[in-house]
C-alpha cells in the first residue's frame, strides 16, 4: 500500500496541471457533446494561429537578449524614466493589436529583460482593450462616442495600474514578479541585471546558442500550454454561457449595474468582438451605457481565460494586483462614461 501511494504521489507530481485540464475538458466534451469537442479543438487551433506571430516574436526577442547578454542594456534604457514610460506604455497599449491572452508572451519577455514592473503593468492593462480594428468595429456597433470613450478608458486604466504599481513597489511584494520557469527562470524581472559582456552574434559561441535554444523552448512550452487551456475555456464559455443570463444580470440603471457589470464581466465576458453586439443589445433594452463600458473594460482584462493565462505567468501578489487594478479601472470607467454621456 505504501508503495502504491508513493507511486500515485509521484505520478500526480508529473502530471502537468494545464495539459491535464485541457485533456479532461476535451474528454468530457467528447462524451457529452462530441460536435462541440471538435469545434473547441478547431477554435484552439485558429486562436493559436492568430497569436502565433506575437508568441514566437516575443519569445525569440527574449531568448536573443538572454543569449547575447543584452538584457541589462534593455533594462538600463528604462532607468530613471519610470513615470514617462508608464504614460508611453499606456498609450502604446491602447493602440497595440494584442488580446488579453496574446499579450502574455510579450509581458513575460518584458519582465525577463528587466523592464520596470509599473511600465509593464500599464501596457498589460491597456493592451487588451483597444486596437485600430477594435476601434472601427466598436464605432460601427456602439457608436463613435463609445469607441472614443473605450479608448480613453484603455489609456486611463493603464495609467491607473502603472502609477498604482509604482506606489506599491516599496512594499517588497513584487520583487520577483514571475513564477519560476518563466522568462529567466524566476529571477526578478523588475530589477536591473548585472552587466555582462554583450555578443550580438551569439550563434558564434556554443554556450550562447544553447542558452538561446533552451530559453526559447522552455518559454514556448510553458506559455503555449497555458494559452491552449485559456482558449479551450473561452470556446466552452462561448458555447454554454447563455446571453439571456447576462442580460438578466446587467439590466437597470444607477451605480449598482456598473459595479455588477465590472464583476460579471469576469466570468461572462466572451471575447472583444462577440461582446460588442451583446452590450449593444443590453443598452437597447435599457442598460446604462456606463454599465456597458464597465462590462467591456472589466471583462476585456479579467475574463477567466485571461486570468488563467496571467496566473500562470505571475506570482500571486502580482496576479491579485492585476485583477484589482482591472476591476477598479472598469468601475471608474463606467462611472465616468456614465457621467459624461
Amino acid at each position: 500500500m505504501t508503495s502504491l501511494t508513493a507511486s500515485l504521489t509521484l505520478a500526480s507530481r508529473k502530471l502537468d496541471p494545464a495539459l491535464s485540464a485541457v485533456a479532461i475538458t476535451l474528454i468530457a466534451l467528447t462524451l457529452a457533446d462530441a460536435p462541440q469537442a471538435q469545434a473547441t479543438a478547431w477554435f484552439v487551433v485558429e486562436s493559436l494561429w492568430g497569436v502565433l506571430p506575437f508568441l514566437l516574436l516575443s519569445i525569440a526577442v527574449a531568448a536573443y537578449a538572454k543569449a547575447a547578454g543584452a538584457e541589462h542594456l534593455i533594462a538600463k534604457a528604462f532607468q530613471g524614466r519610470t513615470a514617462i514610460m508608464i504614460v508611453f506604455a499606456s498609450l502604446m497599449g491602447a493602440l497595440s493589436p494584442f488580446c488579453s491572452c496574446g499579450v502574455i508572451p510579450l509581458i513575460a519577455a518584458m519582465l525577463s529583460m528587466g523592464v520596470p514592473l509599473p511600465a509593464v503593468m500599464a501596457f498589460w492593462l491597456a493592451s487588451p482593450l483597444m486596437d485600430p480594428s477594435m476601434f472601427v468595429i466598436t464605432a460601427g456597433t456602439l457608436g463613435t462616442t463609445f469607441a472614443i470613450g473605450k479608448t480613453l478608458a484603455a489609456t486611463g486604466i493603464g495609467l491607473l495600474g502603472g502609477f498604482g504599481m509604482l506606489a506599491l513597489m516599496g512594499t517588497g511584494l513584487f520583487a520577483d514578479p514571475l513564477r519560476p520557469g518563466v522568462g529567466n527562470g524566476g529571477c526578478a524581472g523588475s530589477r536591473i541585471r548585472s552587466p555582462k559582456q554583450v555578443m550580438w552574434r551569439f550563434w558564434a559561441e556554443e554556450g550562447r546558442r544553447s542558452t538561446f535554444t533552451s530559453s526559447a523552448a522552455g518559454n514556448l512550452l510553458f506559455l503555449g500550454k497555458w494559452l491552449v487551456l485559456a482558449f479551450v475555456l473561452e470556446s466552452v464559455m462561448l458555447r454554454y454561457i447563455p446571453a439571456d443570463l447576462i442580460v438578466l444580470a446587467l439590466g437597470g440603471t444607477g451605480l449598482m449595474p456598473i459595479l455588477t457589470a465590472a464583476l460579471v464581466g469576469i466570468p461572462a465576458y466572451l471575447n472583444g468582438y462577440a461582446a460588442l453586439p451583446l452590450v449593444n443589445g443590453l443598452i437597447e433594452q435599457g442598460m446604462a451605457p456606463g454599465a456597458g463600458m464597465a462590462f467591456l473594460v472589466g471583462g476585456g482584462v479579467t475574463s477567466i481565460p485571461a486570468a488563467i493565462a496571467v496566473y500562470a505567468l505571475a506570482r500571486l501578489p502580482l496576479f491579485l494586483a492585476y485583477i484589482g487594478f482591472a476591476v477598479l479601472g472598469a468601475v471608474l470607467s463606467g462611472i465616468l462614461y456614465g457621467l459624461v454621456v
Side-chain angles (χ1 to χ4, degrees), residues 102-128:
V103 75
I104 295 297
L106 180 59
I107 296 302
M110 293 170 70
L111 287 174
S112 69
M113 289 186 291
V115 176
L117 184 54
V120 174
M121 179 62 77
F123 183 88
W124 200 349
L125 289 168
S127 181

Side-chain angles (χ1 to χ4, degrees), residues 153 156 258 290 293 329-341:
I258 293 177
M293 180 65 72
V331 172
L332 293 177
S333 298
I335 293 174
L336 292 175
Y337 186 75
L339 290 175
V340 172
V341 174

Side-chain angles (χ1 to χ4, degrees), residues 161-184:
F163 285 105
M165 182 55 63
L166 183 62
L168 292 174
M169 290 300 290
T171 64
L173 294 174
F174 308 100
D176 295 311
L178 295 176
R179 290 186 180 274
V182 182
N184 60 350

Side-chain angles (χ1 to χ4, degrees), residues 7-338:
S7 298
L8 291 175
T9 302
L10 180 61
S12 65
R13 290 177 179 176
K14 290 183 178 180
L15 290 176
D16 185 278
L19 297 180
S20 297
V22 170
I24 292 172
T25 304
L26 292 178
I27 291 173
L29 280 177
T30 300
L31 295 176
D33 189 352
Q36 180 56 36
Q38 182 178 358
T40 294
W42 184 244
F43 179 88
V44 171
V45 171
E46 288 185 323
S47 299
L48 285 175
W49 181 256
V51 303
L52 187 62
F54 306 113
L55 177 67
L56 295 180
L57 178 61
S58 59
I59 288 175
V61 169
Y64 176 83
K66 189 171 185 178
E71 291 175 296
H72 71 283
L73 295 180
I74 298 172
K76 281 187 175 181
F78 292 90
Q79 282 184 305
R81 305 175 184 177
T82 303
I84 296 176
M85 288 309 303
I86 289 173
V87 176
F88 178 76
S90 299
L91 294 173
M92 290 302 298
L95 298 174
S96 67
F98 295 100
C99 66
S100 52
C101 292
V103 75
I104 295 297
L106 180 59
I107 296 302
M110 293 170 70
L111 287 174
S112 69
M113 289 186 291
V115 176
L117 184 54
V120 174
M121 179 62 77
F123 183 88
W124 200 349
L125 289 168
S127 181
L129 296 176
M130 186 57 68
D131 59 58
S133 62
M134 177 63 75
F135 182 92
V136 173
I137 296 174
T138 302
T141 306
L142 295 168
T144 303
T145 300
F146 199 100
I148 294 174
K150 191 182 177 190
T151 303
L152 294 175
T155 305
I157 199 172
L159 293 173
L160 172 68
F163 285 105
M165 182 55 63
L166 183 62
L168 292 174
M169 290 300 290
T171 64
L173 294 174
F174 308 100
D176 295 311
L178 295 176
R179 290 186 180 274
V182 182
N184 60 350
C187 298
S190 61
R191 293 202 296 260
I192 301 302
R193 303 286 186 262
S194 57
K196 174 182 177 181
Q197 182 179 4
V198 178
M199 179 182 290
W200 298 112
R201 297 175 178 267
F202 72 87
W203 50 87
E205 186 176 302
E206 173 62 28
R208 293 181 185 250
R209 290 200 304 269
S210 178
T211 297
F212 177 87
T213 302
S214 61
S215 176
N219 284 336
L220 180 61
L221 176 61
F222 182 88
L223 296 172
K225 66 186 181 184
W226 285 102
L227 286 176
V228 168
L229 176 58
F231 290 136
V232 166
L233 293 180
E234 182 178 358
S235 175
V236 172
M237 290 168 61
L238 283 168
R239 173 64 178 85
Y240 294 111
I241 293 182
D244 292 343
L245 180 62
I246 303 174
V247 172
L248 181 64
L250 300 183
T253 58
L255 179 61
M256 186 54 64
I258 293 177
L259 298 174
T260 304
L263 296 175
V264 169
I266 296 176
Y269 187 85
L270 306 177
N271 61 51
Y273 298 103
L276 292 176
L278 173 63
V279 170
N280 185 52
L282 288 170
I283 292 176
E284 289 179 354
Q285 294 182 41
M287 184 182 73
M293 180 65 72
F295 179 82
L296 289 177
V297 172
V301 180
T302 63
S303 63
I304 289 179
I308 288 175
V310 173
Y311 185 77
L313 170 73
R315 293 181 184 270
L316 184 59
L318 181 58
F319 172 76
L320 294 177
Y322 174 87
I323 297 297
F325 287 132
V327 173
L328 177 59
V331 172
L332 293 177
S333 298
I335 293 174
L336 292 175
Y337 186 75

